[in-house]
């Protein structure tokens, strides 16, 4: 098994252009025991298939070259042989049993989520992920960080095009991380190839899986279950850090969350200028709303409503705010009450009401705070 | 095949095959209760009260960490709080945890919770005596209510299940 | 065929005033009202060809968008509509109707029957199809566009869509009804209308595979109908079969869907086995090796197909025990499938082989379908499948099975039987061009997708990360050539219909079977007097 892997790897290296280190033919270099087992198993199956392939099609091509009419070969009309048929029924069964054995071991290992060092709850949203460190009380959203302009070919694409996020999942190296998965709307699937983890996130139900990263590094993946129009744009980034770095990150993150909350609370009591609200609102809009309603506020006809000239956006501020706070159940419009703070909500609503030719007024965070009550 | 009976024979075959199609159409719907039964046997998504085994000795030799999760579909309307992120429990021990449900709206609302377990096999070892997920919850405007859950972890729970998750997803009542 | 015989056969559905069809009316009316199995067979095949063009054009747009990273040709919303419709059209509009077309033409000729058992129902089951296709494709032009939730229609995503989602469910109901009627017709024909002496174990392999396929159709199309009916109810009538909020479970839909879906895969491939098992012996000039084991293998594949559906759902989070059960059952299917491949290879062994276009496509089928079979074995292993589920590896796998498998067998069948149907030999030179261009480009198109999947590219995405760019460009180029090559097929067919070297009754010197005892083309009403089978 080890030998097989080494020789396949060597063969791959010989084929792979050195200048394209990232360019993959094969499963990514495994970074966890689960991924390693899957990798090894794939190599075994591949070899078994290649050998059978060579034998069967060796015979077929021999016949095609030697037993052709143009060479004057006459047909031998035999058409039965019980012995041969029994043999080629039994031999594959034996091969399959041989394959099933390691696969069974691997399944059982993959399913063993017991005794984790750390549990993270992952919630899928259309179209972002939320990470919740249950023991730590740390919870945040992870959005795609690739600028829209790159997707629309208006800017050069970055190295990690479509595989970069604003806030990655951070885990310590060598620790068993149990991932609890659920979804807030439709079915998503959380997948990081290098770590060998893929699990559907199902609304209303909780599922679990696990991984233990072997080394530090950044590992990237994507949502693997069609979840609507922006399915291609909800990547996953896992940053594996040394235990010390992880602790530092955690402490820092906690501090930042507390600070943000405090800032949010004080921001809510302050009165902001229109320009400040609009500037902040544009950022919030591009991060949270533009995926559907588009950066130009024109939406996608018949799929996502335009906000420029929209009845809701140009109507009373209270109704507008209500929709943003609570979403529209049964549609892709999510409730942002829990995702954004008072200032962000006020800013984004203000931006929408004053951009793209809309002539409404701005909304102060205090109004949002009042509406939350 | 020119015999006058062929037409009838054909109609007979057709009739039988139509019945088969009809039965299979019914089977699709039968899969709904069958799935429930299957989930019940394997323990996935079990939502009924369990009969408590009389002989409940507590296995004090080990502790299982029970993680408690609360999810609400409609965060603007409800708040569901777990009493703690996780509680330790001895197998066989009767555990009570109090979830807290709060109606944030200015009007009465109804809803119910769906329980879910991870890993899925853990469901088999949860013996729930009392759970708010057994029935519909009706809350007056801005009401806050304590919802107790009483359960025993079966002593048969395998030792490698050191951490199990009990999760509730709360849904507003949907019009039927 | 004599009318007094037709009427009692068709009694339950027949208007008593409408007896035979001696003088076939001309023009459009003839095609609308025809109850002749040859006419209806041709209608099915032309319908499949038209859908192949539409579904193929969608594939071209998809490949154009995926030609390079970034969004160029279509926006994600339209992209999802195109992938969804491409899947539905190719499965329900191309492969299934094409095989039904072959069944209509060939089964009565092969078993010595004058026509199908229920000619009027036959007309019905065909004419439902264009109606369904109109709903499906027409929904592209409705507000909100066509369905975009994938051909698998998973809720809750499917519950979010607009009016076209309901229309699609309706279209699926109609196509299901059509398939069930077609299957009833085929089973009854095979069971009751065989010529004297045509015992079951003497039937041509193609007839056997279709008999088993028809039973699968009757068993699972109603299950699909049930599943989409539940979706319809969830969408419009306030039920909660698949909605956790109402006590349902979205995963339940996947179980019901794949209970249909896996046998459906074999509905799409068993008739292909039948065609290939007919073509290979003809051009190897040897009888099919292991006829009996071929029949048993087909039947066991059909039975096993009912207990493997879970392998489409290895990542939903089922208990380990279920994963193992579905893994073992899936691996077991490799055994009868292997038996078939071995039988074909040994049929070639010590034959007197020649390489007419039909034979070339049949040989390519054996070779390339087996690649699809091997990737199926790789995917059966749960830990590997967890990595590959919902990636381009799966896309590569099922396109090897359905394009180089099912579709290539349809090409083989066309090249093989067109001389019989039209009375003209095909233009082998054009046919060979069609074959070589298709066979090479199809591999350029689909083989790199294995690498894309292994390297981590999810399926159903309109845009992808930069490390997938090169293989996608290669695949797209292969796709464009493959698409363009199909124009050659059309040329060959049209040339063959309009003229060419006259075909003798036995168009191929190695061909066996009742159809070759008739003139080419066969008379409009053939076997009015049943033939004697030794």
């Amino acid at each position: 098994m080890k030998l097989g892997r080494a020789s396949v790897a060597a063969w791959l290296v010989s084929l792979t252009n050195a200048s394209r280190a990232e360019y993959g033919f094969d499963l990514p270099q495994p970074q966890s025991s689960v991924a390693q087992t899957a990798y090894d198993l794939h190599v075994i199956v591949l070899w078994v298939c290649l050998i059978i392939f060579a034998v069967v099609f060796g015979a077929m091509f021999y016949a095609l070259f030697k037993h052709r009419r143009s060479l004057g070969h006459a047909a031998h009309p035999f058409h039965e042989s019980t012995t041969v048929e029994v043999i080629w029924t039994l031999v594959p069964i034996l091969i399959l049993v041989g394959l099933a054995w390691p696969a069974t071991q691997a399944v059982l290992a993959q399913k063993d989520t017991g005794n984790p060092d750390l549990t993270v709850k992952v919630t899928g949203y259309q179209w972002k992920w939320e990470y919740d460190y249950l023991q730590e009380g740390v919870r945040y959203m992870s959005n795609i960080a690739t600028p829209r302009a790159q997707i629309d070919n208006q800017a050069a694409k970055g190295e990690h095009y479509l595989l970069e996020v604003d806030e990655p999942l951070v885990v310590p190296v060598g620790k068993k991380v149990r991932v609890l998965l659920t979804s807030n709307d439709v079915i998503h699937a959380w997948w990081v190839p290098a770590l060998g983890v893929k699990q559907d996130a199902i609304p209303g139900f909780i599922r679990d899986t696990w991984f233990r990263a072997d080394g530090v590094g950044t590992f990237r993946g994507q949502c693997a279950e069609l979840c609507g129009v922006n399915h291609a744009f909800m990547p996953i980034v896992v940053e594996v850090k040394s235990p010390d770095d992880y602790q530092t990150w955690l402490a820092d993150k906690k501090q930042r969350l507390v600070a943000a909350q405090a800032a949010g609370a004080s921001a809510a009591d302050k009165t902001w200028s229109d320009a400040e609200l609009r500037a902040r609102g544009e950022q919030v809009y591009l991060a949270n709303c533009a995926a559907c309603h588009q950066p130009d506020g024109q939406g996608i006809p018949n799929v996502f409503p335009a906000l420029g000239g929209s009845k809701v956006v140009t109507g009373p501020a209270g109704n507008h705010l209500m929709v943003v706070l609570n979403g529209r159940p049964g549609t892709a419009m999510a409730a942002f009450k829990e995702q954004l703070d008072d200032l962000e909500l006020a800013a984004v609503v203000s931006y929408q009401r004053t951009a793209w030719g809309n002539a409404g007024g701005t909304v102060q965070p205090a109004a949002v705070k009042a509406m939350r009550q | 095949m020119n015999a006058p009976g062929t037409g009838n024979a054909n109609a007979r075959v057709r009739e039988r095959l139509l019945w088969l199609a009809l039965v299979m159409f019914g089977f699709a719907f039968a899969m709904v209760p069958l799935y429930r039964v299957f989930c019940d046997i394997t323990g996935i998504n079990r939502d009924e009260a369990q009969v408590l085994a009389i002989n409940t000795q507590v296995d004090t030799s080990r502790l299982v960490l029970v993680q408690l999760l609360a999810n609400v579909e409609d965060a603007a309307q409800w708040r569901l709080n777990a009493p703690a992120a996780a509680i330790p429990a001895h197998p066989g021990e009767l555990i009570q945890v109090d979830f807290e449900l709060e109606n944030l709206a200015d009007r009465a609302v109804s809803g119910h919770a769906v329980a879910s377990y991870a890993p899925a096999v853990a469901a088999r070892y949860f013996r729930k005596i009392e759970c708010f997920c057994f029935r519909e919850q009706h809350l007056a405007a801005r009401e806050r209510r304590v919802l107790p859950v009483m359960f025993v972890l079966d002593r048969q729970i395998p030792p490698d299940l050191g951490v199990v998750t009990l999760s509730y997803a709360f849904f507003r009542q949907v019009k039927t | 065929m004599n009318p007094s015989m037709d009427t009692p056969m068709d009694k339950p559905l027949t208007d008593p005033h409408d007896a035979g069809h001696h003088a076939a009316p001309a023009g459009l009316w003839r095609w609308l009202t025809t109850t002749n199995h040859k006419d209806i067979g041709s209608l099915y095949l032309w319908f499949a060809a038209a859908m192949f063009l539409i579904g193929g054009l969608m594939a071209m747009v998809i490949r154009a968008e995926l030609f390079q990273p970034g969004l160029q040709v279509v926006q994600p919303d339209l992209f999802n509509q195109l992938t969804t419709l491409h899947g539905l059209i190719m499965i329900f509009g191309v492969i299934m109707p094409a095989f039904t077309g072959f069944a209509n033409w060939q089964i009565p000729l092969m078993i010595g029957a004058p026509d199908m058992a229920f000619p009027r129902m036959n007309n019905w089951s065909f004419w439902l199809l264009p109606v369904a296709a109109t709903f499906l494709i027409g929904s592209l032009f409705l507000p909100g566009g066509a369905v975009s939730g994938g051909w698998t229609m998973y809720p809750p995503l499917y519950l979010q869509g607009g009016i076209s989602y309901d229309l699609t469910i309706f279209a699926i109901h109609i196509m299901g009804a059509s398939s069930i009627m077609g299957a009833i017709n085929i089973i009854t024909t095979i069971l009751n209308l065989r010529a004297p002496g045509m015992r079951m174990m003497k039937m041509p392999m193609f007839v056997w595979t279709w008999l088993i396929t028809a039973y699968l159709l009757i068993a699972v199309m109603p299950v699909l109908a049930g599943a989409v009916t539940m979706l319809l109810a969830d969408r419009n009538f306030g039920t909660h079969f698949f909605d956790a909020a109402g006590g349902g479970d979205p995963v339940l839909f996947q179980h019901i869907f794949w209970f249909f879906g896996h046998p459906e895969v074999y509905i799409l491939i068993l008739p292909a086995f039948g065609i290939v098992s007919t073509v290979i012996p003809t051009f190897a000039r040897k009888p099919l090796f292991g006829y009996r084991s071929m029949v048993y293998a087909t039947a066991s594949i059909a039975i096993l197909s009912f207990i493997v559906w879970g392998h489409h759902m290895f990542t939903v989070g089922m208990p380990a025990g279920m994963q193992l059960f579905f893994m073992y059952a899936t691996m077991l299917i490799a055994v009868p499938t292997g038996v078939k491949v071995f039988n074909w290879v040994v049929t070639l062994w010590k034959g007197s082989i020649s390489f007419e276009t039909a034979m070339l496509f049949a040989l390519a089928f054996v070779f390339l379908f087996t690649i699809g079979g091997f990737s199926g074995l790789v995917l059966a292993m749960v830990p590997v499948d967890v990595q590959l589920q919902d990636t381009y590896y799966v896309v590569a796998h099922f396109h090897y099975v359905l394009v180089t498998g099912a579709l290539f067998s349809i090409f083989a069948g066309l090249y093989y039987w067109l001389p019989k149907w039209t009375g003209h030999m095909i233009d082998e030179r054009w046919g060979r061009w069609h074959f070589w261009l298709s066979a090479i480009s199809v591999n350029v198109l689909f083989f790199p997708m294995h690498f894309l999947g292994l390297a981590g590219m999810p399926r159903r995405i309109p845009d992808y990360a930069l490390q997938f760019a090169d293989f996608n460009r290669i695949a797209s180029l292969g796709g464009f050539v493959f698409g363009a090559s199909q124009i050659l097929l059309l040329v060959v067919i049209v040339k063959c219909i309009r003229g060419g070297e006259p075909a003798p009754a036995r168009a191929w010197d190695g061909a066996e079977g009742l159809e070759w005892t008739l003139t080419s083309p066969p008379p409009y009403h053939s076997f009015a007097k049943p033939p004697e089978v030794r």
Side-chain angles (χ1 to χ4, degrees), chain A residues 23 69 73 85 161 198 207, chain C residues 293 316 351 353 389 463 470:
Chain A
Y23 189 58
R69 189 176 55 170
H73 194 275
E85 290 180 59
Y161 176 67
K198 185 187 285 147
R207 295 289 198 266
Chain C
S293 63
V316 296
I353 303 168
Q389 166 85 36
D463 193 6
D470 289 13

